[in-house]
Amino acid sequence: MRIQPRRDNGRRARPILAYDIETIAPALEDGSFPPWPTHQPVAVGFAEAWEQGGQWLFDIDALAITEAVTNEAAMIREADRRMAGAGVVTSYNGRQFDALVLRLAAQRQRLWDCKALADRAASKRFGGEHLDLADAYSSFGRKVSLASIADELGIAVKTDVAGGDVGQLWEAGETERIRRYVMEDAVATLCVYFAWVAARAADETLVTRPLAALARHIEARADLEHLQPFLDCQLMWWARPRAMKADIGAALSRMTHRLAREESERAFATS
């Protein structure tokens, strides 16, 4: 299973895309979770990350359906566009829910050209096209919730709204709260992805460096103020000083290498 973003013709790595959706569905009399085909997507959150010049960069956004701005078709096309441009697509239970709901919604909207979305929905369970972290963390056994994994790792999640609140928020017209909530879940999914990759590679810098960069990105953006809980969560408090230590060590190593190269060049020139 692929855990690192693919290279695009030798240029910078294509982004990691963590995504999440929020839906509404008719309530069942027994109170059970409605079957996935009855769900209508009303919001999609995106958290993209990529390395460029040794630095982690991010694009965090979300769309919620509103009469004035975004309809279902536009939201689905944006999800397909981002998936098409990603080197890694990751989600939490997305392979068996989010991707299926989006694919069916695309067909309902008569959008037959959403190839990237269709590919993720059709991905094989043990393939690398769609890294479903719910499968990865359970080793393809009994799945648990994103919140249960995030809580154990010390990652902020469900700080203001939970999935069960979305229906009432939708009925009340509070689409901005839904949009912020789905964005938060996408960022939490990205953090869980970094933790999983670091453990698989036995390299803590694969979680500390991107998380520290994510914190700086959130701090620099006024429109991401609602993601403040990620700055104060346990994993972030642990990661940031360790990332700084790693960065200082890498800088010293580069400086030592450069000085050694320059000394060697001087010795060769005077020989």
Side-chain angles (χ1 to χ4, degrees):
M1 181 178 289
R2 184 185 301 113
I3 63 173
Q4 294 290 351
R6 294 172 290 185
R7 294 282 165 180
D8 185 8
N9 297 325
R11 297 190 293 274
R12 71 165 173 84
R14 298 168 65 192
I16 301 155
L17 170 64
Y19 80 99
D20 184 62
I21 72 171
E22 294 305 325
T23 66
I24 56 173
L28 300 181
E29 291 184 2
D30 62 1
S32 61
F33 190 74
W36 69 262
T38 66
H39 285 253
Q40 174 192 344
V42 296
V44 184
F46 308 104
E48 290 185 335
W50 66 96
E51 257 192 304
Q52 184 173 334
Q55 300 296 319
W56 279 97
L57 303 174
F58 299 87
D59 181 11
I60 300 171
D61 199 3
L63 295 175
I65 294 176
T66 60
E67 292 183 4
V69 181
T70 304
N71 58 30
E72 186 178 64
M75 187 174 69
I76 292 167
R77 285 207 176 277
E78 178 63 6
D80 180 71
R81 183 189 72 80
R82 288 184 181 254
M83 289 180 185
V88 172
V89 175
T90 187
S91 64
Y92 202 92
N93 201 37
R95 194 181 58 79
Q96 291 192 317
F97 183 75
D98 303 57
L100 303 186
V101 170
L102 288 175
R103 179 178 61 182
L104 185 59
Q107 295 172 6
R108 186 169 61 244
Q109 289 290 333
R110 309 300 184 247
L111 303 177
W112 308 109
D113 58 345
C114 294
K115 182 69 165 59
L117 195 159
D119 285 346
R120 296 317 183 278
S123 65
K124 296 178 181 179
R125 188 175 192 188
F126 301 101
E129 301 89 353
H130 186 167
L131 175 54
D132 189 330
L133 291 163
D135 279 336
Y137 268 88
S138 67
S139 293
F140 301 95
R142 181 182 178 184
K143 296 181 181 181
V144 297
S145 68
L146 171 63
S148 63
I149 296 295
D151 284 345
E152 293 300 320
L153 292 174
I155 296 170
V157 70
K158 318 292 183 186
T159 61
D160 176 48
V161 174
D165 302 325
V166 170
Q168 292 182 339
L169 292 174
W170 177 259
E171 291 294 328
E174 295 193 51
T175 55
E176 179 58 21
R177 287 186 69 189
I178 297 173
R179 192 186 74 84
R180 291 187 174 192
Y181 167 57
V182 76
M183 188 188 301
E184 178 184 295
D185 268 7
V187 173
T189 300
L190 182 64
C191 293
V192 170
Y193 168 84
F194 285 131
W196 186 79
V197 167
R200 288 282 287 158
D203 182 355
E204 73 170 40
T205 65
L206 295 180
V207 64
T208 57
R209 292 190 66 249
L211 283 189
L214 174 62
R216 293 191 294 270
H217 179 78
I218 292 172
E219 287 171 336
R221 295 283 299 271
D223 59 325
L224 299 181
E225 185 179 3
H226 61 286
L227 299 179
Q228 177 74 31
F230 286 98
L231 306 182
D232 299 325
C233 69
Q234 293 177 3
L235 185 61
M236 191 67 80
W237 276 99
W238 173 85
R240 295 187 79 171
R242 298 179 83 90
M244 182 180 296
K245 182 179 179 181
D247 288 343
I248 292 171
L252 288 174
S253 178
R254 289 193 299 269
M255 183 179 298
T256 300
H257 178 74
R258 187 186 69 187
L259 292 173
R261 186 183 68 242
E262 290 175 353
E263 180 62 28
S264 178
E265 290 172 352
R266 281 194 298 269
F268 178 79
T270 58
S271 62

